[in-house]
Amino acid sequence: MSMSADPVLLVAWHTGALMEGDLASALMCDANDIRVLLDVLDGEAGRGASPLPFSLPPRARVGAAISYALHDRAGLSLASAADVVAKSMKICDSILATLDFFPSAKRLFTERAGKRDWRDERDPLVLFAPHASEELPVPAIDEYIDVIDGRRIVWRKPRRDAYELACELHRLSDATMRQNTPELQQELLAILGRLREPADHTAEWIGIVDDRGFRPRPDRFADFTPFLRRGVELSGDASRFTEACRTRISVNVSLAARSMKRRLLGLPVNDPLELSAPRQRSEEPMPCT
């Protein structure tokens, strides 16, 4: 499925030619918050207010969404949240794989991704259709950053590769448009069913936030481990976790990134809980999954 957004806005997104006000509106924050985030994420300290568009690489755009979500929902300071992301760019690359989906045999989700032709982008997961306006999680692709006791940072993502799932969905969608057979329909429905199934997550403790900012684990991203190195299990008996940790705040950083992108593309974003109750930050102990 091709992207349905305004081509002018798509070009602005992919080139990173965004105004300070655009970013502030997309993240629903103050312009000064944007400057604090970009001073860390974009390496241009002291940028200050500017009437000219930024030229932000893909990682910085996604990093701004992740950082502000960690600040807004997990209570980290803006600078600390941006420091977590700036020192963990592999998370941005992982989210970009499905956020800016380009079907390709080569998985180059780095700064060079910004040089791709925006017209080649596809939306097999229907994340950027006008009607897909609710901020709903997609279990098969969504990634999380957990903030445990306000200081320990854990990255969680589905064990099954989300990009491969998107590629398979793109292939089947195109195939059914050319030849809509019962076999292809059955295969497509099976893939669509996987999108809402609870995902089996891998988890990795990537570092600690303290007064000096984010202190990453030296060997983070070497592999994924189902535990924290201080005896706190991320799976198993929830009562053991409750005894070991006071709080865990889980932030869906994939959802934060696509909500930002939808707003920058001029698409609606609606909180499905907005009419029933105001969103509140929860700091209750949660069982790890």
Side-chain angles (χ1 to χ4, degrees):
M1 179 179 293
S2 299
M3 296 289 289
S4 57
D6 185 329
V8 174
L9 296 176
L10 272 172
V11 171
W13 167 260
H14 283 290
T15 59
L18 305 168
M19 302 293 290
E20 185 179 87
D22 296 334
L23 292 170
S25 295
L27 294 180
M28 296 190 296
C29 66
D30 295 331
N32 188 59
D33 294 339
I34 297 297
R35 295 171 204 144
V36 172
L37 294 177
L38 296 186
D39 280 350
V40 179
L41 294 168
D42 195 32
E44 294 189 19
R47 182 197 296 271
S50 173
L52 300 176
F54 298 125
S55 181
L56 295 178
R59 282 176 165 177
R61 299 195 296 273
V62 173
I66 296 173
S67 301
Y68 190 75
L70 290 175
H71 166 71
D72 182 50
R73 299 169 195 176
L76 298 184
S77 70
L78 284 170
S80 292
D83 200 27
V84 170
V85 176
K87 294 174 180 175
S88 309
M89 282 297 177
K90 184 173 180 179
I91 298 175
C92 295
D93 292 343
S94 183
I95 292 173
L96 276 166
T98 51
L99 184 74
D100 294 352
F101 178 76
F102 291 87
S104 172
K106 296 182 179 180
R107 300 193 54 180
L108 298 176
F109 302 107
T110 63
E111 306 294 48
R112 287 178 292 172
K115 297 182 179 178
R116 288 175 169 153
D117 190 332
W118 64 270
R119 287 165 292 194
D120 294 332
E121 184 180 6
R122 296 294 181 266
D123 187 22
L125 297 163
V126 198
L127 302 176
F128 304 104
H131 65 272
S133 60
E134 288 189 331
E135 286 190 306
L136 296 174
V138 183
I141 68 168
D142 282 359
E143 305 184 22
Y144 293 80
I145 292 180
D146 296 343
V147 181
I148 297 177
D149 289 344
R151 61 192 299 267
R152 282 183 276 187
I153 308 298
V154 174
W155 175 30
R156 287 190 293 122
K157 62 179 295 188
R159 191 178 301 276
R160 299 179 73 170
D161 189 279
Y163 178 76
E164 291 181 1
L165 174 64
C167 285
E168 188 66 4
L169 187 55
H170 172 67
R171 179 187 68 81
L172 288 169
S173 297
D174 278 2
T176 55
M177 290 180 66
R178 294 192 303 269
Q179 185 181 9
N180 195 0
T181 65
E183 292 79 13
L184 284 174
Q185 278 288 342
Q186 185 175 3
E187 195 175 356
L188 179 60
L189 289 173
I191 293 291
L192 290 172
R194 283 174 50 191
L195 295 179
R196 295 295 179 183
E197 293 176 357
D200 178 23
H201 281 180
T202 60
E204 183 178 9
W205 174 34
I206 61 174
I208 291 176
V209 172
D210 59 22
D211 292 340
R212 294 173 290 173
F214 179 58
R215 291 192 289 136
R217 259 184 53 201
D219 57 345
R220 70 197 187 287
F221 308 136
D223 58 3
F224 285 93
T225 54
F227 59 87
L228 295 180
R229 291 189 174 183
R230 297 188 181 180
V232 182
E233 295 292 334
L234 286 177
S235 60
D237 186 356
S239 64
R240 292 179 60 192
F241 171 82
T242 303
E243 293 172 1
C245 294
R246 296 185 303 276
T247 62
R248 185 189 81 174
I249 302 175
S250 293
V251 180
N252 186 332
V253 289
S254 297
L255 181 57
R258 65 175 171 265
S259 293
M260 172 194 183
K261 181 175 178 178
R262 281 187 64 90
R263 291 189 185 100
L264 284 170
L265 295 181
L267 299 170
V269 177
N270 301 317
D271 184 345
L273 302 179
E274 194 172 48
L275 296 179
S276 57
R279 188 182 69 189
Q280 295 180 350
R281 183 188 304 157
S282 173
E283 296 190 359
E284 293 298 318
M286 299 170 57
C288 290
T289 56

